[in-house]
Amino acid sequence: DCWTLEPERAYHFPRIKACIEKAHMYDPDIIFEGGVYEILNKQVERTKVPAFIFEYFGLPVEERCFVLEDMLYLDGHHRNVLGEGNHAPDMSRTETQMWFLYRASLYIDMGFESIHLGSTPSMNDVDKNQDFAGWKRVTELIRKYAKAHARRGMVLLNAHATDMKTQKNELLFDFYAWLICGWIPKGETDGLPTEDHPQKIDINLYENE
């Protein structure tokens, strides 16, 4: 479950790492992708910040856990966006960038070589006015970590993004992805599809952000 953190280290991560290693025995060129998503909750505060995260950001090493409030928008918007207590973070804030680097490092350590970084619009409200400095910083640090720790010294980064470029026309991700969904056309009844009566849909971009 990508939205909850509790079972990961004890159960999911060891099994995932073993599966990736087994797959790479058959085909070492397979690339697996993990996701760091745009929804956070109080569970982050049960996670200790590793020393290397402070070091990557040039900060003094502290003995503490991540702080949710330090990841959120100062004006209070984008809170409770996916149920009570689930919030979209502000990528301009250092604590958010630290969290994304930490999460990406976990996947890289397991053998993942591609990281999806979530749906960016909800995280960009401040950062887009700062030339995406937060995103640029965290993506550069993820690549730095991958160069030292990834199985082939590289990582591919992508996100649900459309027009994210710096003022120097720099792309922040290796490829940009957006959601394509099936919508019920006007005049059609939304019902359970069967072999005799398939559900008619139109394929369009998801634009409900």
Side-chain angles (χ1 to χ4, degrees), residues 176-193:
Y176 287 42
W178 195 250
L179 302 173
I180 295 179
C181 298
W183 303 95
I184 308 301
K186 290 182 179 179
E188 289 291 334
T189 302
D190 183 0
L192 181 67

Side-chain angles (χ1 to χ4, degrees), residues 41-62:
N41 55 44
K42 291 291 283 186
Q43 288 190 69
V44 304
E45 299 192 342
R46 302 178 185 178
T47 302
K48 182 180 176 181
V49 184
F52 82 88
I53 296 292
F54 293 110
E55 293 164 359
Y56 267 55
F57 281 84
L59 299 171
V61 176
E62 302 178 46

Side-chain angles (χ1 to χ4, degrees), residues 78-140:
H78 283 323
R79 302 199 180 200
N80 303 310
V81 294
L82 194 65
E84 185 70 25
N86 296 314
H87 317 297
D90 175 356
M91 189 52 70
S92 73
R93 305 198 70 182
T94 298
E95 192 82 358
T96 302
Q97 298 161 27
M98 292 169 66
W99 174 256
F100 269 64
L101 173 59
Y102 164 69
R103 295 291 297 171
S105 74
L106 295 179
Y107 287 112
I108 290 169
D109 290 346
M110 284 188 286
F112 288 85
E113 294 176 294
S114 181
I115 308 292
H116 172 75
L117 295 170
S119 182
T120 61
S122 62
M123 299 183 275
N124 286 351
D125 289 357
V126 175
D127 201 45
K128 66 185 177 184
N129 297 321
Q130 298 176 358
D131 198 25
F132 297 110
W135 276 113
K136 186 173 182 182
R137 185 186 194 190
V138 74
T139 53
E140 287 177 349

